[in-house]
Amino acid sequence: NPEWQDGGPGNRYREYWWTHTFGEIGVGGAERKELLTRLLPRLKIADRCSIEGKFVWVRGTKRVYKIHMGSGNILMEPNDEYLCIVPDSRQLAVGTDATHLPFEGDRVLSVILSKAFLLAADDKIRDESIVRQIER
């Protein structure tokens, strides 16, 4: 969280957070990028998404978003503001997810896709904490 008050001695953990969250995507992110390059054009939101560098770009009604393919975290245009959307922890419990995906086991990929669908229709979001962040 970039709002983290105690970044540790000399704020060294803030830099670690930023590097991990929005830095190079690594092997897992590269595999996601390859899969998303093939998958996104087939989705209902294809006209609102593109892949550039290490991000899936999503054009919403209110803003443009960049979802990092390594971490699944989001930056909002125009100023790369961080958008905090946390998956429902109840959905993360083993055996509670009724959705079976062809890429089973890559939780970050499923988070990226769910965030892309959500943000493509950002004018329909009702969660107040998300709406406040988008509209600030």
Side-chain angles (χ1 to χ4, degrees), residues 45 85 113-125 130:
I45 59 172
I85 299 178
L113 287 169
S114 64
K115 287 179 178 182
F117 274 95
L118 177 72
L119 296 171
D122 62 358
D123 58 329
K124 294 179 176 51
I125 296 173
I130 297 172

Side-chain angles (χ1 to χ4, degrees), residues 52 68 76:
E52 296 176 35
H68 190 265
M76 299 183 288

Side-chain angles (χ1 to χ4, degrees), residues 51-123:
I51 294 177
E52 296 176 35
K54 53 192 170 189
F55 295 99
V56 173
W57 288 69
V58 180
R59 185 177 37 83
T61 301
K62 298 179 177 186
R63 289 229 196 180
V64 174
Y65 309 90
K66 302 186 311 189
I67 306 171
H68 190 265
M69 287 183 277
S71 66
N73 286 308
I74 306 162
L75 294 174
M76 299 183 288
E77 290 290 304
N79 300 321
D80 281 348
E81 295 174 76
Y82 177 72
L83 174 60
C84 182
I85 299 178
V86 181
D88 186 340
S89 61
R90 294 170 293 187
Q91 295 298 320
L92 300 178
V94 177
T96 62
D97 187 3
T99 305
H100 298 287
L101 305 171
F103 36 84
E104 192 80 33
D106 188 347
R107 186 175 95 56
V108 175
L109 181 58
S110 63
V111 166
I112 290 169
L113 287 169
S114 64
K115 287 179 178 182
F117 274 95
L118 177 72
L119 296 171
D122 62 358
D123 58 329

